[in-house]
Amino acid sequence: MIVPVSPQYGGGALADVLPSVAGALSVRGETNLLDLPPAPRYAVLLFDGLGWNLLQRYAEAAPYLSSLIPNSRSLTAGVPSTTAVSLTSLGTGLPPGAHGIVGYTSIVPETGALLNALQWDAPVDPRRWQPHGTVFDRLTAAGVAARNVSKGRFETSGLTAAAFRGSAHRGADTIEDRLDATRFASREGQSSLVYVYDSQLDYIGHQQGCDSWQWQKELTAADEFAQKVRSALPRDAVLLVVADHGMIDVAPEHRVDLDAEPALTDGVSLIGGESRFRHLYCVPGADTDVLATYRERLGDRALVLSRADAIARGWFGPTVEDRVSPRLGDVIVASLGPVALVASRRHPQEAGLIGLHGSLTPDEMEIPLLIDAG
């Protein structure tokens, strides 16, 4: 059985990146936990889905990025290893148990509805759902020009409000626009931080698989974009390249359809998370039976834990705030083997995906921290 990777909150996780950048920018009160090089300007380029193991496996497709590996290191994502959780950890510098975005989808305890944290499709105020200040807030208060370069439509999203408030959004929908926005933003103020987001690797991985030729082609495009970002920055800027999670491919025959097996939905009122990391919200009193059923069905292909046990393992951080705990599943299923728990009726859009993530395997959890100091 694959040994799960424990998130390294507090010195080796994605949540430690921006606090360390703030320390490297000499912001008072901030600690450079990751020992980043001091500089007056930083750019953080995040490639959605660029796992550390994937980058090493296909290093020939990314000559620029792979050239940075010898002087760089890996980090861990948080748990679950998924975009909404990771981006909020990046922006706030906090683990999920503090910031409260705990999955691709999770329950809104007050209403019983599911919140999709990427689409922000429930009437939830993101500033109440995630009430903590962000690292961008602290940077801006310290006089650092903090900018967020991503697609224009993200400016008004709930996730942006939860994760990146305090930064000035620069909408950029094409590669050229992103480079222009980065070039300009990186020269603002006496010191600056520019965050740049690119989603294509993740999109191609989901649709075609991360071991496909299409994914390798997109990795080459990402590599070229990263090199152009470096060229667009001032000489005194440091470029960091990170990711929010890795990815694995799961073949159709290894998908377990919860909606096709009545035993797997007996006692379950709501199915959240995603196919590699499920939050199962149970009918009152049914959690013990649900736990036993899933353990018997999945065996050593998954870790099936109660909410309390998952919290005790530190998956969501050293503490889980009282407002956050009810958002976690009563039963939590983290896939370790090549298995995906789809729900073809309830979540049909997930059922056909090839590349997946969310769980605690090395391929999903380990992400790069690549450093180019110019």
Side-chain angles (χ1 to χ4, degrees), residues 33-46:
L33 294 167
L34 300 177
D35 196 27
L36 301 176
R41 302 183 184 278
Y42 260 81
V44 176
L45 171 58
L46 187 143

Side-chain angles (χ1 to χ4, degrees), residues 45 47 50 55 62-69 219 222-223 226 241 370:
L45 171 58
F47 285 115
L50 180 61
L55 176 59
Y64 169 63
L65 294 175
S66 58
S67 75
L68 302 177
I69 290 176
L219 178 59
D223 188 72
V241 179
L370 306 179

Side-chain angles (χ1 to χ4, degrees), residues 7 11-12 45 64 99 108 111 119 182 195 202 227 232 260-261 264 270 296 317-318 320 337 340 354-355 370:
L45 171 58
Y64 169 63
H99 64 62
V108 181
T111 66
Q119 299 174 8
T182 300
Y195 162 70
D202 181 73
Q227 197 161 19
E261 297 189 32
L264 295 179
L270 201 62
E296 182 178 359
V320 173
I354 300 172
L370 306 179

Side-chain angles (χ1 to χ4, degrees), residues 4-324:
V5 173
S6 297
Q8 298 300 303
Y9 304 121
L14 182 62
D16 303 312
V17 170
L18 290 192
S20 295
V21 168
L25 289 169
S26 301
V27 174
R28 184 174 298 178
E30 301 287 346
T31 303
N32 186 355
L33 294 167
L34 300 177
D35 196 27
L36 301 176
R41 302 183 184 278
Y42 260 81
V44 176
L45 171 58
L46 187 143
F47 285 115
D48 197 322
L50 180 61
W52 177 246
N53 291 346
L54 281 170
L55 176 59
Q56 294 185 96
R57 189 181 309 157
Y58 299 116
E60 290 184 1
Y64 169 63
L65 294 175
S66 58
S67 75
L68 302 177
I69 290 176
N71 295 315
S72 300
R73 60 172 290 185
S74 65
L75 301 173
T76 69
V79 178
S81 53
T82 197
T83 300
V85 177
S86 287
L87 294 190
T88 311
S89 287
L90 177 72
T92 61
L94 298 171
H99 64 62
I101 294 180
V102 296
Y104 171 63
T105 59
S106 60
I107 197 170
V108 181
E110 295 79 7
T111 66
L114 271 184
L115 169 67
N116 182 314
L118 287 182
Q119 299 174 8
W120 213 268
D121 56 354
V124 174
D125 181 350
R127 291 167 179 80
R128 294 188 66 185
W129 191 256
Q130 195 302 95
H132 295 283
T134 69
V135 183
F136 294 103
D137 286 325
R138 304 201 298 270
L139 289 168
T140 299
V144 177
R147 306 292 183 256
N148 165 19
V149 177
S150 60
K151 292 180 179 178
R153 62 185 173 88
F154 293 160
E155 181 172 9
T156 57
S157 77
L159 182 60
T160 295
F164 300 126
R165 59 179 179 260
S167 65
H169 189 270
R170 298 288 183 260
D173 292 334
T174 67
I175 289 175
E176 292 75 17
D177 288 345
R178 264 174 273 169
L179 289 171
D180 286 344
T182 300
R183 184 178 295 107
F184 180 79
S186 65
R187 289 165 172 80
E188 294 188 70
Q190 296 299 309
S191 64
S192 61
L193 167 65
V194 184
Y195 162 70
V196 185
Y197 172 76
D198 189 280
S199 63
Q200 280 301 108
L201 276 172
D202 181 73
Y203 176 78
I204 296 297
H206 281 310
Q207 301 300 321
Q208 306 293 337
C210 59
D211 286 318
S212 66
W213 67 264
Q214 293 97 328
W215 194 90
Q216 293 176 59
K217 181 180 179 181
E218 186 57 41
L219 178 59
T220 298
D223 188 72
E224 294 169 353
F225 177 62
Q227 197 161 19
K228 289 176 180 177
V229 169
R230 173 66 261 185
S231 297
L233 298 175
R235 290 185 178 181
D236 60 353
V238 174
L239 172 64
L240 302 183
V241 179
V242 298
D244 52 348
H245 55 75
M247 188 173 280
I248 67 166
D249 291 347
V250 177
E253 60 267 26
H254 292 143
R255 296 171 194 161
V256 175
D257 187 351
L258 306 185
D259 285 331
E261 297 189 32
L264 295 179
T265 55
D266 187 22
V268 176
S269 58
L270 201 62
I271 297 173
E274 56 199 290
S275 62
R276 291 282 296 170
F277 191 96
R278 282 292 179 203
H279 290 290
L280 301 177
Y281 303 98
C282 299
V283 174
D287 49 321
T288 300
D289 289 340
V290 171
L291 192 76
T293 297
Y294 273 78
R295 283 178 174 169
E296 182 178 359
R297 175 68 174 83
L298 296 171
D300 63 4
R301 292 184 295 167
L303 277 172
V304 183
L305 302 180
S306 68
R307 175 190 296 158
D309 285 346
I311 290 173
R313 292 190 182 210
W315 281 4
F316 310 105
T319 60
V320 173
E321 295 183 10
D322 289 344
R323 66 185 177 81
V324 175

